[in-house]
Short mmCIF file of all heavy atoms in Angstrom, two decimals:
data_model
loop_
_atom_site.label_atom_id
_atom_site.label_comp_id
_atom_site.label_asym_id
_atom_site.label_seq_id
_atom_site.Cartn_x
_atom_site.Cartn_y
_atom_site.Cartn_z
N ILE B 1024 88.96 110.11 106.37
CA ILE B 1024 87.74 109.72 107.11
C ILE B 1024 87.34 110.78 108.15
O ILE B 1024 86.16 111.21 108.21
CB ILE B 1024 88.03 108.33 107.85
CG1 ILE B 1024 87.98 107.25 106.86
CG2 ILE B 1024 86.89 108.14 108.88
CD1 ILE B 1024 88.45 105.92 107.38
N ARG B 1025 88.34 111.36 108.74
CA ARG B 1025 88.10 112.39 109.79
C ARG B 1025 87.53 113.65 109.04
O ARG B 1025 86.56 114.30 109.53
CB ARG B 1025 89.36 112.83 110.53
CG ARG B 1025 89.65 111.75 111.64
CD ARG B 1025 90.81 112.38 112.60
NE ARG B 1025 92.02 112.42 111.87
CZ ARG B 1025 92.93 111.47 111.77
NH1 ARG B 1025 92.77 110.28 112.34
NH2 ARG B 1025 94.14 111.59 111.21
N ARG B 1026 88.13 114.01 107.95
CA ARG B 1026 87.61 115.20 107.23
C ARG B 1026 86.26 115.06 106.72
O ARG B 1026 85.38 115.95 106.93
CB ARG B 1026 88.60 115.41 105.96
CG ARG B 1026 88.30 116.60 105.18
CD ARG B 1026 89.39 116.88 104.13
NE ARG B 1026 89.66 115.73 103.26
CZ ARG B 1026 89.01 115.57 102.05
NH1 ARG B 1026 88.15 116.37 101.71
NH2 ARG B 1026 89.35 114.49 101.25
N PHE B 1027 85.87 113.91 106.09
CA PHE B 1027 84.54 113.74 105.63
C PHE B 1027 83.52 113.62 106.75
O PHE B 1027 82.43 114.19 106.74
CB PHE B 1027 84.38 112.48 104.74
CG PHE B 1027 84.89 112.75 103.41
CD1 PHE B 1027 86.03 112.05 102.96
CD2 PHE B 1027 84.14 113.38 102.43
CE1 PHE B 1027 86.53 112.22 101.62
CE2 PHE B 1027 84.59 113.58 101.09
CZ PHE B 1027 85.76 112.99 100.76
N ARG B 1028 83.90 113.05 107.87
CA ARG B 1028 83.03 112.98 109.06
C ARG B 1028 82.87 114.37 109.67
O ARG B 1028 81.64 114.70 110.00
CB ARG B 1028 83.70 112.07 110.15
CG ARG B 1028 82.81 111.77 111.27
CD ARG B 1028 83.37 110.74 112.28
NE ARG B 1028 84.66 111.24 112.84
CZ ARG B 1028 84.71 112.04 113.85
NH1 ARG B 1028 83.67 112.65 114.37
NH2 ARG B 1028 85.94 112.43 114.31
N ALA B 1029 83.88 115.24 109.68
CA ALA B 1029 83.75 116.54 110.20
C ALA B 1029 82.80 117.38 109.32
O ALA B 1029 82.00 118.20 109.90
CB ALA B 1029 85.15 117.20 110.33
N ARG B 1030 83.03 117.27 107.97
CA ARG B 1030 82.18 117.93 107.09
C ARG B 1030 80.69 117.62 107.32
O ARG B 1030 79.79 118.49 107.13
CB ARG B 1030 82.47 117.54 105.66
CG ARG B 1030 83.13 118.59 104.85
CD ARG B 1030 83.17 118.16 103.46
NE ARG B 1030 84.55 118.57 103.05
CZ ARG B 1030 85.15 118.14 101.89
NH1 ARG B 1030 84.44 117.30 101.13
NH2 ARG B 1030 86.38 118.48 101.58
N ARG B 1031 80.41 116.43 107.64
CA ARG B 1031 79.02 115.96 107.86
C ARG B 1031 78.57 116.35 109.32
O ARG B 1031 77.35 116.11 109.59
CB ARG B 1031 78.79 114.58 107.58
CG ARG B 1031 79.03 114.27 106.09
CD ARG B 1031 78.68 112.89 105.68
NE ARG B 1031 77.38 112.39 106.20
CZ ARG B 1031 76.19 112.59 105.82
NH1 ARG B 1031 75.97 113.58 104.90
NH2 ARG B 1031 75.17 112.15 106.41
N GLY B 1032 79.52 116.70 110.16
CA GLY B 1032 79.19 116.95 111.53
C GLY B 1032 78.76 115.74 112.33
O GLY B 1032 77.95 115.75 113.29
N GLN B 1033 79.28 114.62 111.94
CA GLN B 1033 78.98 113.30 112.59
C GLN B 1033 80.06 113.07 113.73
O GLN B 1033 81.20 113.36 113.53
CB GLN B 1033 79.14 112.16 111.65
CG GLN B 1033 77.99 112.09 110.64
CD GLN B 1033 78.22 110.90 109.66
OE1 GLN B 1033 79.33 110.82 109.08
NE2 GLN B 1033 77.25 110.13 109.53
N ASN B 1034 79.50 112.43 114.88
CA ASN B 1034 80.49 111.94 115.79
C ASN B 1034 80.61 110.51 115.50
O ASN B 1034 80.08 109.89 114.59
CB ASN B 1034 79.94 112.21 117.24
CG ASN B 1034 78.67 111.54 117.50
OD1 ASN B 1034 78.47 110.33 117.14
ND2 ASN B 1034 77.79 112.14 118.30
N LEU B 1035 81.56 109.81 116.18
CA LEU B 1035 81.92 108.45 115.87
C LEU B 1035 80.71 107.48 116.05
O LEU B 1035 80.52 106.62 115.29
CB LEU B 1035 83.04 108.01 116.78
CG LEU B 1035 84.39 108.61 116.46
CD1 LEU B 1035 85.53 108.09 117.39
CD2 LEU B 1035 84.83 108.29 115.04
N GLU B 1036 79.97 107.75 117.09
CA GLU B 1036 78.81 106.95 117.39
C GLU B 1036 77.80 106.94 116.23
O GLU B 1036 77.28 106.01 115.73
CB GLU B 1036 78.04 107.28 118.67
CG GLU B 1036 78.88 107.00 119.82
CD GLU B 1036 79.96 108.00 120.22
OE1 GLU B 1036 79.98 109.17 119.64
OE2 GLU B 1036 80.82 107.73 121.03
N GLU B 1037 77.63 108.23 115.72
CA GLU B 1037 76.67 108.34 114.50
C GLU B 1037 77.20 107.62 113.28
O GLU B 1037 76.36 106.97 112.54
CB GLU B 1037 76.44 109.88 114.27
CG GLU B 1037 75.69 110.54 115.37
CD GLU B 1037 75.74 112.05 115.31
OE1 GLU B 1037 76.72 112.61 114.66
OE2 GLU B 1037 74.77 112.73 115.83
N LEU B 1038 78.45 107.81 113.01
CA LEU B 1038 79.05 107.11 111.88
C LEU B 1038 78.95 105.60 112.00
O LEU B 1038 78.72 104.93 111.08
CB LEU B 1038 80.54 107.63 111.70
CG LEU B 1038 81.26 106.93 110.46
CD1 LEU B 1038 80.46 107.32 109.21
CD2 LEU B 1038 82.67 107.61 110.38
N ALA B 1039 79.27 105.12 113.21
CA ALA B 1039 79.17 103.68 113.44
C ALA B 1039 77.72 103.12 113.13
O ALA B 1039 77.53 102.11 112.50
CB ALA B 1039 79.59 103.38 114.80
N GLU B 1040 76.80 103.87 113.66
CA GLU B 1040 75.36 103.53 113.48
C GLU B 1040 74.92 103.53 112.05
O GLU B 1040 74.33 102.60 111.49
CB GLU B 1040 74.38 104.42 114.28
CG GLU B 1040 73.01 104.00 114.17
CD GLU B 1040 72.09 104.82 115.19
OE1 GLU B 1040 72.51 105.11 116.27
OE2 GLU B 1040 71.01 105.16 114.70
N GLU B 1041 75.35 104.68 111.31
CA GLU B 1041 74.95 104.77 109.82
C GLU B 1041 75.71 103.87 109.01
O GLU B 1041 75.18 103.38 107.99
CB GLU B 1041 75.18 106.16 109.50
CG GLU B 1041 74.62 106.54 108.09
CD GLU B 1041 74.72 108.00 107.69
OE1 GLU B 1041 74.73 108.83 108.53
OE2 GLU B 1041 74.60 108.26 106.46
N SER B 1042 77.03 103.55 109.32
CA SER B 1042 77.81 102.77 108.39
C SER B 1042 77.77 101.22 108.71
O SER B 1042 78.02 100.40 107.80
CB SER B 1042 79.31 103.20 108.42
OG SER B 1042 79.82 102.89 109.76
N GLY B 1043 77.47 100.86 109.93
CA GLY B 1043 77.48 99.49 110.32
C GLY B 1043 78.89 99.02 110.71
O GLY B 1043 79.18 97.90 110.92
N VAL B 1044 79.86 99.95 110.69
CA VAL B 1044 81.21 99.71 111.06
C VAL B 1044 81.34 99.85 112.58
O VAL B 1044 80.78 100.84 113.09
CB VAL B 1044 82.22 100.64 110.37
CG1 VAL B 1044 83.61 100.50 110.80
CG2 VAL B 1044 82.24 100.39 108.81
N SER B 1045 82.01 98.99 113.23
CA SER B 1045 81.96 99.01 114.70
C SER B 1045 82.58 100.25 115.27
O SER B 1045 83.58 100.84 114.64
CB SER B 1045 82.59 97.78 115.29
OG SER B 1045 84.03 97.87 115.15
N LEU B 1046 82.14 100.75 116.40
CA LEU B 1046 82.58 101.86 117.10
C LEU B 1046 84.18 101.65 117.47
O LEU B 1046 84.97 102.54 117.29
CB LEU B 1046 81.85 102.22 118.30
CG LEU B 1046 82.24 103.45 119.12
CD1 LEU B 1046 82.30 104.75 118.20
CD2 LEU B 1046 81.38 103.62 120.24
N ASP B 1047 84.45 100.43 117.89
CA ASP B 1047 85.83 100.09 118.18
C ASP B 1047 86.71 100.23 116.97
O ASP B 1047 87.88 100.84 117.10
CB ASP B 1047 85.85 98.66 118.69
CG ASP B 1047 87.28 98.25 119.16
OD1 ASP B 1047 87.88 98.88 119.91
OD2 ASP B 1047 87.75 97.21 118.56
N MET B 1048 86.23 99.81 115.80
CA MET B 1048 87.13 100.00 114.61
C MET B 1048 87.30 101.53 114.34
O MET B 1048 88.35 101.99 113.94
CB MET B 1048 86.44 99.19 113.45
CG MET B 1048 87.32 99.15 112.20
SD MET B 1048 86.63 98.26 110.75
CE MET B 1048 86.69 96.60 111.40
N LEU B 1049 86.22 102.23 114.44
CA LEU B 1049 86.27 103.70 114.12
C LEU B 1049 87.22 104.38 115.04
O LEU B 1049 87.96 105.29 114.66
CB LEU B 1049 84.91 104.31 114.18
CG LEU B 1049 83.96 103.88 112.96
CD1 LEU B 1049 82.61 104.49 113.22
CD2 LEU B 1049 84.51 104.28 111.61
N GLU B 1050 87.19 104.00 116.30
CA GLU B 1050 88.11 104.60 117.33
C GLU B 1050 89.54 104.29 116.98
O GLU B 1050 90.41 105.16 117.11
CB GLU B 1050 87.74 104.09 118.67
CG GLU B 1050 86.47 104.73 119.23
CD GLU B 1050 85.94 104.08 120.56
OE1 GLU B 1050 86.41 102.96 120.87
OE2 GLU B 1050 85.15 104.65 121.15
N GLN B 1051 89.80 103.04 116.47
CA GLN B 1051 91.19 102.72 116.07
C GLN B 1051 91.62 103.59 114.90
O GLN B 1051 92.78 104.13 114.86
CB GLN B 1051 91.33 101.30 115.67
CG GLN B 1051 91.18 100.37 116.92
CD GLN B 1051 91.27 98.88 116.50
OE1 GLN B 1051 92.22 98.53 115.82
NE2 GLN B 1051 90.29 98.17 116.77
N LEU B 1052 90.74 103.80 113.88
CA LEU B 1052 91.05 104.70 112.80
C LEU B 1052 91.30 106.04 113.14
O LEU B 1052 92.24 106.68 112.62
CB LEU B 1052 89.86 104.58 111.78
CG LEU B 1052 89.63 103.24 110.99
CD1 LEU B 1052 88.33 103.25 110.28
CD2 LEU B 1052 90.72 102.92 110.14
N GLU B 1053 90.52 106.56 114.10
CA GLU B 1053 90.76 107.93 114.71
C GLU B 1053 92.19 108.06 115.29
O GLU B 1053 92.74 109.10 115.33
CB GLU B 1053 89.68 108.29 115.72
CG GLU B 1053 88.40 108.56 115.03
CD GLU B 1053 88.29 109.89 114.46
OE1 GLU B 1053 88.75 110.95 115.11
OE2 GLU B 1053 87.63 110.00 113.36
N GLN B 1054 92.62 106.93 115.76
CA GLN B 1054 94.01 106.96 116.45
C GLN B 1054 95.17 106.58 115.44
O GLN B 1054 96.22 106.22 115.83
CB GLN B 1054 94.02 105.98 117.60
CG GLN B 1054 93.11 106.39 118.72
CD GLN B 1054 92.90 105.20 119.77
OE1 GLN B 1054 93.66 104.31 119.82
NE2 GLN B 1054 91.85 105.41 120.58
N ASN B 1055 94.75 106.59 114.13
CA ASN B 1055 95.70 106.26 113.02
C ASN B 1055 96.26 104.83 113.13
O ASN B 1055 97.36 104.52 112.82
CB ASN B 1055 96.91 107.22 112.97
CG ASN B 1055 96.50 108.56 112.51
OD1 ASN B 1055 95.31 108.82 112.09
ND2 ASN B 1055 97.42 109.56 112.68
N ILE B 1056 95.28 103.90 113.56
CA ILE B 1056 95.60 102.44 113.61
C ILE B 1056 94.68 101.76 112.63
O ILE B 1056 93.46 101.94 112.63
CB ILE B 1056 95.30 101.98 115.00
CG1 ILE B 1056 96.24 102.62 116.05
CG2 ILE B 1056 95.51 100.41 115.06
CD1 ILE B 1056 95.85 102.46 117.46
N LEU B 1057 95.27 101.02 111.74
CA LEU B 1057 94.40 100.27 110.75
C LEU B 1057 94.12 98.89 111.42
O LEU B 1057 95.05 98.06 111.60
CB LEU B 1057 95.24 100.08 109.49
CG LEU B 1057 94.45 99.37 108.36
CD1 LEU B 1057 93.29 100.17 107.90
CD2 LEU B 1057 95.47 99.13 107.15
N PRO B 1058 92.82 98.73 111.79
CA PRO B 1058 92.48 97.49 112.45
C PRO B 1058 92.73 96.30 111.50
O PRO B 1058 92.50 96.22 110.28
CB PRO B 1058 90.92 97.54 112.62
CG PRO B 1058 90.69 99.05 112.53
CD PRO B 1058 91.74 99.55 111.62
#
């Protein structure tokens, strides 16, 4: 997830908006936590 996001130059807020996945969930994934 981090690799593909970095490739696209997206920050977490942009990915949350585009995917509909909550920012809170994405922040957990970034911390290697499976919500």
Side-chain angles (χ1 to χ4, degrees):
I1024 290 172
R1025 284 191 292 272
R1026 182 171 54 90
F1027 281 108
R1028 185 174 64 77
R1030 244 189 229 168
R1031 295 190 39 78
Q1033 289 177 308
N1034 63 39
L1035 289 178
E1036 291 82 12
E1037 292 167 334
L1038 182 55
E1040 186 175 318
E1041 188 172 340
S1042 67
V1044 174
S1045 74
L1046 181 58
D1047 182 55
M1048 188 178 291
L1049 292 175
E1050 288 171 342
Q1051 289 180 58
L1052 293 170
E1053 287 282 316
Q1054 296 169 16
N1055 292 350
I1056 299 168
L1057 186 61

